[in-house]
Amino acid sequence: MKRKQRMVLLLLSAMLCSSILAACGKDSNESKTNTGDGAEAKVEKIVFAMPSFNQIPDNLGRITDAINEITIPKIGVEVDYKVYGPVDYAQKVNLALQSGEQMDLFTTLGQFTSYVSKNQVYPLEELLPEYGKELTAILDKDFGPDMLKATTLNGHIYGIPVNKGMSIPTNFVYNADMLNEAGFTAEDIRSVNDLPAIFEAVKQKHPDSVPFGPINVNPSDTSLLLLLKGSHQVDFLSDTTGIGVVVGDEGKVRNFYETELFKEGAMMMRDWFNKGYLEKDAATTSITASDLITSGRGFSFMGGYSGLEAAKALSAQTGKNLEMKRIAPYYFETGAVNMVSWMVSSTTKAPEAAVKFLNLLYTDEQLINTILYGIEGEDYVKVDEHHVKYPDGKDANTVGYTAMLSTGIVGSESLQYQLEGVNWSDVELKLQENKETQKSPYFGFIFDPSEVKTQMSAVTNVVNQFLPGLMCGVLDPDTTIPKFVDALNKAGAEDIIRSKQEQLDQWIAAQINGK
């Protein structure tokens, strides 16, 4: 009898070991969960990487758990939630994509064509009809049927644009208290030409202040440059180098840095710099405009914001009384939509799960607000149906978790809570302006840089060398722009322009024939 008992124990041990080995041998992207009726359903795991413009806590575990309490029961997807700062985000994503580390969902942050040209993204057109039906329906409703044209290349849909107010007019953001102390009001701000007098008065009143903070020197951010002539009809043709743009609607591709528009903008910045309205190290500093304002030294900066209420969120972030004034309209070109688009990695082992999660991200109020605001009662308090506030004694810098400054990065804005005091009608205004803002006649054109990759890389290096100094007024445009253009041509700018013109001509012909 004892011998039989030993045999049974050995058999049970063997079965247990084989079960453990079998479990260890399963795909790491899959696990099991109990459905509640005794049956087990497959749960697929994905890595979701999001950029945050707020402070990132050391431990995201409780937020990840809260996300999975939503996603596992609803769609059978377990999420590994990773959050990176905006400076590190692209580097972290690229490192994962190149090393083979799991990275299923990430956002473009202006690098749409780069990811596509490197074959780093998964085409979505066959997955969306089954796993993203609600997602595509809400995009059509809030923006119109053309939205996915901005992320479609050679018949393949490579990204899902964030469903937000994408019409982002240029706004002058300023410390309202400092403006009043300098003897001006918001009514005195009508155009960029009104700003120097205000800067001078602020400088006189606050000698240690920085009237105008560091600006975004991304080549695609030409807001300041376009204000001078009142022209906003510049299409960068889905490329952020600044090489090969269309000004107006004549269809001629040119080097933006050779235009009078660019030179006049650079001359304006040079004048502001010489008069002491910018920091001396504005072209190289890592300090942001909001950092300067938080410290009490900064007065203003320029930014693109949809709606009319962004200053309230910026005030909450900086602790200062900020207001903003629109001083230039917006112009929809393809890059305006695909600049912030969610992509599925070409190396993903769970593409269906990734699209299921995207679909939920754009349609589930609980999920999107957990990602943006954290856990109710701990990280935020609900005020009413649409509004939240921080717990008593807390703010954006001291609360356990918030990513509220990433509202324009993720999901559908119409489902996002707003901070207390923000007018909910502003969300409705944003959706309205999405449909009413003028579109470029080349909306939907995406430049394929694969034939000029080497030139694009070389040109980008040149742009990074010259543009910050010109945009921040450190360099003299009269002497620097000719050197800049010469260096661009030597790097292959003319090849890029030629390739863009050929592709644009073909695209225009296809649109005409399609009609």
Side-chain angles (χ1 to χ4, degrees):
M1 181 64 69
K2 290 182 178 180
R3 187 169 181 269
K4 286 183 178 181
Q5 288 176 336
R6 284 198 298 270
M7 288 295 292
V8 170
L9 288 172
L10 287 171
L11 284 170
L12 288 172
S13 297
M15 290 170 65
L16 179 61
C17 288
S18 66
S19 297
I20 292 172
L21 289 171
C24 291
K26 286 183 179 291
D27 192 323
S28 61
N29 287 321
E30 297 181 6
S31 62
K32 299 285 186 179
T33 187
N34 196 296
T35 61
D37 58 4
E40 284 188 336
K42 182 174 73 173
V43 174
E44 294 185 283
K45 296 180 181 179
I46 64 167
V47 172
F48 167 58
M50 197 183 84
S52 175
F53 298 86
N54 291 97
Q55 292 182 7
I56 301 171
D58 294 332
N59 183 9
L60 285 168
R62 65 189 183 91
I63 307 301
T64 300
D65 291 343
I67 290 171
N68 286 315
E69 286 175 8
I70 301 167
T71 60
I72 292 176
K74 288 188 175 182
I75 56 174
V77 175
E78 181 179 344
V79 179
D80 182 359
Y81 182 45
K82 295 184 181 296
V83 182
Y84 304 115
V87 175
D88 300 327
Y89 185 81
Q91 181 184 7
K92 296 285 188 181
V93 168
N94 278 309
L95 184 62
L97 294 175
Q98 293 168 10
S99 67
E101 177 187 343
Q102 187 178 358
M103 176 63 65
D104 299 286
L105 269 176
F106 61 94
T107 190
T108 53
L109 290 189
Q111 301 298 314
F112 178 87
T113 54
S114 175
Y115 288 122
V116 173
S117 67
K118 294 176 183 176
N119 299 314
Q120 292 177 316
V121 286
Y122 196 101
L124 304 177
E125 65 278 357
E126 293 184 3
L127 296 173
L128 288 173
E130 183 173 357
Y131 303 109
K133 286 183 289 189
E134 295 85 1
L135 162 62
T136 52
I138 198 170
L139 292 179
D140 287 348
K141 178 178 71 72
D142 290 347
F143 185 84
D146 294 338
M147 195 176 195
L148 291 180
K149 286 184 178 179
T151 55
T152 301
L153 184 62
N154 298 325
H156 297 299
I157 299 172
Y158 287 112
I160 303 299
V162 62
N163 187 24
K164 63 171 183 174
M166 284 178 290
S167 178
I168 47 176
T170 299
N171 288 268
F172 179 65
V173 183
Y174 57 92
N175 184 316
D177 295 332
M178 292 177 72
L179 180 74
N180 293 334
E181 289 169 4
F184 289 88
T185 70
E187 298 303 316
D188 297 313
I189 306 170
R190 294 172 297 275
S191 76
V192 71
N193 298 320
D194 298 318
L195 300 182
I198 294 173
F199 291 158
E200 190 63 39
V202 168
K203 192 74 174 173
Q204 292 297 320
K205 192 72 176 178
H206 301 276
D208 295 329
S209 69
V210 180
F212 191 72
I215 60 175
N216 180 1
V217 293
N218 185 307
S220 64
D221 184 7
T222 58
S223 301
L224 288 172
L225 311 179
L226 305 183
L227 297 176
L228 288 170
K229 292 184 177 180
S231 169
H232 61 284
Q233 296 184 355
V234 175
D235 191 328
F236 280 81
L237 299 175
S238 68
D239 162 31
T240 59
T241 63
I243 302 299
V245 301
V246 174
V247 181
D249 61 0
E250 74 279 14
K252 179 177 172 55
V253 180
R254 65 189 74 179
N255 183 344
F256 181 65
Y257 304 118
E258 288 189 275
T259 65
E260 282 299 310
L261 192 58
F262 176 75
K263 183 174 182 180
E264 290 187 23
M267 292 294 290
M268 178 183 72
M269 295 309 302
R270 179 65 172 172
D271 180 58
W272 289 8
F273 178 81
N274 285 337
K275 290 177 178 176
Y277 302 153
L278 284 79
E279 288 273 52
K280 292 299 181 183
D281 62 348
T284 57
T285 183
S286 60
I287 298 174
T288 66
S290 60
D291 289 337
L292 271 177
I293 287 176
T294 301
S295 72
R297 294 185 62 232
F299 166 64
S300 71
F301 64 94
M302 206 77 74
Y305 296 100
S306 59
L308 302 172
E309 300 281 311
K312 292 180 179 177
L314 294 168
S315 295
Q317 178 196 3
T318 60
K320 302 298 180 182
N321 178 23
L322 300 187
E323 294 179 0
M324 68 185 195
K325 187 77 176 284
R326 284 188 177 186
I327 54 177
Y330 197 62
Y331 185 63
F332 264 131
E333 41 99 9
T334 306
V337 177
N338 68 29
M339 179 168 289
V340 183
S341 299
W342 287 94
M343 297 180 132
V344 176
S345 166
S346 59
T347 59
T348 183
K349 295 180 180 179
E352 295 88 356
V355 176
K356 285 180 186 178
F357 177 75
L358 270 180
N359 191 69
L360 200 66
L361 185 62
Y362 281 69
T363 58
D364 189 278
E365 181 177 312
Q366 184 184 9
L367 175 60
I368 190 172
N369 288 298
T370 298
I371 289 171
L372 288 174
Y373 292 101
I375 299 172
E376 185 175 1
E378 297 181 31
D379 303 304
Y380 73 91
V381 177
K382 197 85 182 287
V383 175
D384 56 39
E385 180 185 2
H386 297 301
H387 295 89
V388 298
K389 66 179 182 179
Y390 296 112
D392 291 343
K394 300 290 185 180
D395 58 26
N397 296 313
T398 59
V399 74
Y401 170 87
T402 187
M404 62 83 135
L405 290 178
S406 294
T407 53
I409 297 292
V410 59
S412 294
E413 194 166 19
S414 59
L415 297 178
Q416 298 172 4
Y417 299 148
Q418 302 294 315
L419 287 176
E420 185 179 32
V422 173
N423 192 333
W424 180 253
S425 64
D426 200 53
V427 174
E428 297 167 342
L429 172 65
K430 293 176 184 180
L431 298 178
Q432 176 186 336
E433 291 188 333
N434 276 352
K435 298 177 180 179
E436 295 177 351
T437 298
Q438 183 180 1
K439 285 188 177 72
S440 165
Y442 315 111
F443 184 83
F445 170 78
I446 299 176
F447 174 53
D448 180 0
S450 56
E451 293 184 355
V452 286
K453 283 183 181 179
T454 302
Q455 295 93 322
M456 291 283 288
S457 178
V459 159
T460 298
N461 291 335
V462 174
V463 170
N464 291 338
Q465 177 187 351
F466 285 91
L467 190 64
L470 287 167
M471 288 282 281
C472 293
V474 176
L475 300 175
D476 180 2
D478 283 328
T479 59
T480 304
I481 290 180
K483 297 177 183 177
F484 183 22
V485 171
D486 182 60
L488 289 171
N489 289 333
K490 289 178 179 177
E494 293 176 346
D495 293 336
I496 297 172
I497 292 171
R498 189 180 306 113
S499 179
K500 258 190 192 180
Q501 187 72 68
E502 291 174 358
Q503 291 184 36
L504 181 63
D505 290 344
Q506 292 170 4
W507 184 88
I508 293 171
Q511 306 309 301
I512 294 173
N513 293 334
K515 294 176 182 178

